[in-house]
Each structure stands twice: as structure tokens, then as C-alpha cells.
Amino acid sequence: MTTALEPALSVRQVLGLERVLAGEPEVVAGAGHLDRPVRWVHVAEAADVGVMLSGGEMVLTTGVLLAGDPEAQAEYIRSLHRAEAAAVVLGLGRAFPAPPEVMRRAAERCGLPMVVLHRPFPFAELTEEVQSRLVRRKFAAVSLSESVRTALTGLITAGAPLQRMLDEIAVHSACPVVVTNLAHRVLATAGERSAVDDVLRDWERIARQAGGIEGDGWVRAELGGRGERWGRIVLCGYRGDAGTGRLLADRAAEALVLHRMLVGAAHSWEEQSAQGLLTDLVSGVVPARQLLPRARAAGLPVNRRTFVPLVVRDASATRLDRVLRLLGLPGIVAELADGATAVLLSLARDQDPEALATHFATRLRAGSGDGAAVVAAADARTGWDDVPAGLREARHVAEAVAESPAGLDLPPVVRLRDVHLRGLVRLLRDDPHVQSFAERELDGLLCGAAAEPDLLPVLRTYLATGRNKSRTAQLRHVSRPALYRRLEAIEARLGVDLDDFEQAASVHIALLAHDAQQGRNRGSAASTVVEHGPAQG
């Protein structure tokens, strides 16, 4: 462990100790350097004390060997400065009744804190007090280091995700923790939500600071291995002493590098960051306004932009991200829980969102293996607060396309208007009125589904074929008389006349709503209908 990492008291903290205050200390020079760390306390009367120091010591002296020799007094201060002493404390009384002006001026020129004690003070008490505090602090820092290392190693062994690792680091540091890439884009955060949001809200200014992020409780450590850096971890506003903060940041960095090497991930940290942001936006659990700092810190342009929510099926997130980069379109990509992939484009206000979305979809389909990709979109949003609703609408459209008959002639970018009734029902599937309507209309069939499980599939095929009995019998592999008996049973159970257009339409809508609520992928009978061509009389 190097000296820079060792926990220490500052000169200011030493002067604030109760035992020191009893000596009535007065800072007579170097007042601007009182935050220097004190590594040790050394009592020395020798004029050449500098040769015995290794840096960071607070030197205590009465000056008895310096009295009457101004040149020796000045050289004494210069030697302490060359040895990088933390400060010099002169006890008045024995050799000097008042602060010696030669020493004071020399200390001021060197920037060395010089303190005089106006009352007699046993130096042994001061050295005992400071040394014991330093030892306790050093032991506490080592204990913290081992505690953090043990906790993080246990999480790595258990295969914990990155977020769990950061949460543990935030607990030990008691401040927001941020992981960034080398471009200062935020990849992950941990800590109290309000405190993290305060940090992210000002992140653009912080990231632009010359020389990076350091000082005033901001402690960073580099992430990388094998001679290559790929990110950093930042403790934001750490309130402990700088040495302990550095130690904690270094332990955290070691653990994160090891986590990346051993645990690995199916997705990069950048992908995980985008996934967390888009998942929160889609779910609506966190208000969009609260997610704005995260989006901005992740590098997504958000000021005076037009947002285009997309959901893509049958294309990998890696491929989508590559197409975005190729076209120079700002945006984020993340896989959703249902196997679809969300894309949020952020365009300048003077760009055409529909044209660029179509260009994106066309380029995607032109790529190898992505010809079948379905790109669903919601109308462009100019307000960030409207983005969650747009993403949910795009996801509904994508799901409606997945449940639609195969072979449909769809545009490059599918919107709600392109999936017609099925899309509307899919969009409204969670409405209690729609759910009640579906249950009421289909109650007779749903209640008896266990006894006659083939009636619901027959009804679905019959309605999908436009009530074509011949085609339905063919697709269900039953005779016409057998089909007629089943249709009669369906009508009897539902209490409807399927030859009546309005009643049949009502049952069809209820069936679409039921399928949407069940989350079932209905490519079944309906897709077979289209694939076999038009129905015959």
C-alpha cells in the first residue's frame, strides 16, 4: 500500500484536536495549506531535521537550537520544505517568546504551514494522540478494504449482475456510484435515487471538466486490463477522508474488472445501460421526467429533439445498433423481455422522422439474415414525457403483426393504422371494459372449453376465413356435416347467429381481445388460411 493510499489526518484536523486546542495554537504562515495530510508526528530539535524525514510529517519543536541564528532558522524551514513535511509546530516560551519573523517569512514563501503554541504543551501528549488516531484510521481503512473485497468477491462467485455489485459498493461508500465509459457516458449507477439524479442532472458539465473528475469528494478509479482502459468508476461526493475513498474506489475497480473477466455477460455494459433505461421507459413504473438525467448522461440527445419509438422483431440488438451507427442516427437499442428489441431514435427537429425510420428499416432488411425483420413504430414524439406511451404503442403494433396472418403485404415500417382492428384490440387489451366484453361474449365457449376443446379453434378459423365453411372444413380436416354440427354447437353456446354480420363481428372482436389478453401467438389457423390462397365457395 503506497503512502498516497494511507488514511491520514489533515493539518487542520490535528489543530482541531482537544489536546492541541489547550495549547492555544495559532497559524502564522501557510494558512492556505492546512488540508495537507499528516502521515506522522515527529519531535525534533536538530537543525538538520530534514534529512530524517520521509514526507508528510508534522514536526514539533521548541527551537532551542535555532535561537539567535536567523540563517539557521530560515534553513530549518527550507529543509522541512525540501523533505515535504506537512507542517511545523513551534512551542513558544523556551527559545522564542513570540513567533520568529525569519521563520514565519520563510514558511510563507515555501507554503509550509507554521503553527505556534502560546501555552506550554507536552509534545508527548500530542504525538500520542495523533499516532493513536492514525493507527486506528489505518486499521479501519484496511478493515474496510478487506470487507469490501470479501463482499464483492462473494458476489462475483455467485454470478451477481453488475447492478448488484454497484449497489454493494454504494452501501460501503455511502454516496452515489457511477460507472462510465472513456467518453464519460454513464453506463450504470447506484446509490440513493435522489442523490444519483442530482449527480446525473449536472453530468454534462462534470464530464467536460478539464482533467476529468477528481477532488471535492469525487474519487475515480480506472477500469481496464492488459494495458487497455475501457471505463472508470466514480464515487460522487464521498464524505470520508481522501485516502479511504481512494482505497475504496480502487477495491471497487479491481472487483469490477474481475467481474467483467470471470462472470462476463451476454450484453456489454453499454447494452445493459440502454436496456435498463428503455425497460423503465416502457414499463412506466418510473416517471419519464425522472429518467431524463439518465438518458442525457447515457449520451442520448434530449434537448429540442424529435423521438421516434421503434420495436423490432427478428433482428438482433447488435445488428440494430450497427445499422444506427452506419446511418449516423443517434439512438439507443435494448432487448425487451418478450424477445422484441426496442429502438429509440433521437432526431433533430428539422429531420423527417418517417423518412428516416423507413430508411433505417430498409437498410436493416437489406442486411444479411434480417430480411424478415419487422419494424413497428409509433408516431414521432416531440416531448420526452410522451416517449413511454410511444414505446408501448410500438410494442403493441409489433405484437399485433406477430399475431396477424402470415403473408400480409406490410410497409417497411408498420404503424398502428397498418394492423387495423387487430392492432386496435391489441392496444386496448388491458382495458377492463374490453376484458369484460371478451369474457361476456365468449363465456359459453370458455366455460365448456375443457369438454369440447375444438370449438374455439373452429370458431377462430371460421372467422379468419371470412365465414367460408368449405375452407374452414378443409383447414380443420373435418367433413362439411361435422363442421355444421360444430358451428351449431358454437351458436348454441354463445347464443348468437353467426350468419348475422353484426353478431359475427362482435364475436370476432371478442376473440381477438381474448387472444391478445392471453398473449398467444396466433399464426395458427389464420396464417394457414392465407398461405393456402383464397377460399373457394
Side-chain angles (χ1 to χ4, degrees), residues 103-133:
M103 294 180 69
R104 191 197 67 77
R105 287 198 304 268
E108 192 66 50
R109 284 195 299 270
C110 294
L112 175 70
M114 179 176 173
V115 182
V116 296
L117 299 176
H118 288 278
R119 298 189 61 178
F121 183 84
F123 286 165
E125 291 187 10
L126 175 57
T127 56
E128 179 185 3
E129 176 77 9
V130 175
Q131 316 298 43
S132 63
R133 285 176 178 265

Side-chain angles (χ1 to χ4, degrees), residues 33-77:
H33 303 276
L34 296 182
D35 291 321
R36 282 183 175 179
V38 176
R39 188 181 60 82
W40 208 243
V41 177
H42 191 71
V43 180
E45 299 291 353
D48 59 348
V49 64
V51 298
M52 297 181 285
L53 305 180
S54 57
E57 295 90 350
M58 174 179 277
V59 177
L60 311 180
T61 183
T62 61
V64 293
L65 299 182
L66 303 175
D69 189 344
E71 179 56 34
Q73 296 169 20
E75 177 57 26
Y76 183 82
I77 295 296

Side-chain angles (χ1 to χ4, degrees), residues 214-533:
E214 199 74 46
D216 296 328
W218 291 69
V219 188
R220 73 175 182 179
E222 301 299 324
L223 303 175
R226 298 177 181 176
E228 181 181 2
R229 293 186 301 115
W230 39 261
R232 57 180 59 90
I233 181 171
V234 186
L235 308 185
C236 308
Y238 180 71
R239 297 306 177 195
D241 69 85
T244 303
R246 166 59 55 199
L247 195 63
L248 182 57
D250 287 345
R251 291 295 170 267
E254 291 171 4
L256 293 183
V257 171
L258 186 62
H259 177 273
R260 182 160 168 148
M261 291 173 57
L262 299 183
V263 176
H267 309 287
S268 69
W269 287 358
E270 287 85 352
E271 291 172 329
Q272 293 180 54
S273 173
Q275 184 174 28
L277 175 60
L278 285 179
T279 299
D280 286 345
L281 280 170
V282 171
S283 69
V285 174
V286 182
R289 182 59 51 183
Q290 293 184 21
L291 297 173
L292 190 56
R294 284 173 57 187
R296 185 182 289 113
L300 184 72
V302 294
N303 295 330
R304 297 187 57 78
R305 306 291 289 186
T306 298
F307 302 101
V308 183
L310 306 174
V311 172
V312 184
R313 287 189 172 276
D314 300 323
S316 67
T318 301
R319 169 64 180 160
L320 295 175
D321 187 63
R322 189 179 302 121
V323 172
L324 282 184
R325 294 175 186 274
L326 184 64
L327 298 179
L329 295 176
I332 52 178
V333 179
E335 293 182 0
L336 301 178
D338 58 1
T341 303
V343 181
L344 181 61
L345 301 181
S346 174
L347 308 177
R349 289 287 174 88
D350 59 353
Q351 292 180 294
D352 186 339
E354 290 205 15
L356 285 175
T358 300
H359 185 41
F360 169 77
T362 302
R363 191 60 178 261
L364 174 65
R365 290 180 174 179
S368 175
D370 291 317
V374 174
V375 179
D379 291 337
R381 264 60 175 177
T382 56
W384 176 258
D385 289 342
D386 298 327
V387 168
L391 285 167
R392 288 192 290 271
E393 179 181 320
R395 185 172 64 172
H396 283 307
V397 172
E399 291 171 346
V401 172
E403 295 172 359
S404 298
L408 294 180
D409 186 15
L410 296 172
V413 179
V414 186
R415 302 180 184 276
L416 194 58
R417 61 178 177 265
D418 300 313
V419 288
H420 307 293
L421 178 61
R422 187 180 298 273
L424 176 62
V425 171
R426 196 72 177 65
L427 195 61
L428 300 176
R429 66 176 177 173
D430 295 326
D431 188 297
H433 297 293
V434 174
Q435 295 173 352
S436 177
F437 169 76
E439 291 292 326
R440 184 173 60 251
E441 289 290 299
L442 301 175
D443 182 64
L445 277 185
L446 297 178
C447 290
E452 297 183 85
D454 61 333
L455 292 185
L456 201 60
V458 167
L459 175 62
R460 185 177 290 109
T461 304
Y462 180 62
L463 295 174
T465 58
R467 295 180 295 167
N468 186 311
K469 294 183 177 67
S470 298
R471 187 65 174 150
T472 300
Q474 178 185 358
L475 293 173
R476 299 311 307 175
H477 306 290
V478 297
S479 65
R480 290 284 291 267
L483 175 66
Y484 293 155
R485 288 193 297 272
R486 288 175 180 154
L487 291 177
E488 289 171 358
I490 291 171
E491 289 179 325
R493 286 183 174 277
L494 297 181
V496 299
D497 179 5
L498 292 177
D499 288 330
D500 181 89
F501 175 78
E502 185 173 339
Q503 295 184 53
S506 181
V507 172
H508 196 182
I509 293 172
L511 187 58
L512 290 176
H514 170 74
D515 289 348
Q517 291 159 13
Q518 296 298 312
R520 299 168 69 179
N521 186 358
R522 293 299 179 188
S524 57
S527 16
T528 309
V529 171
V530 177
E531 290 166 1
H532 282 75

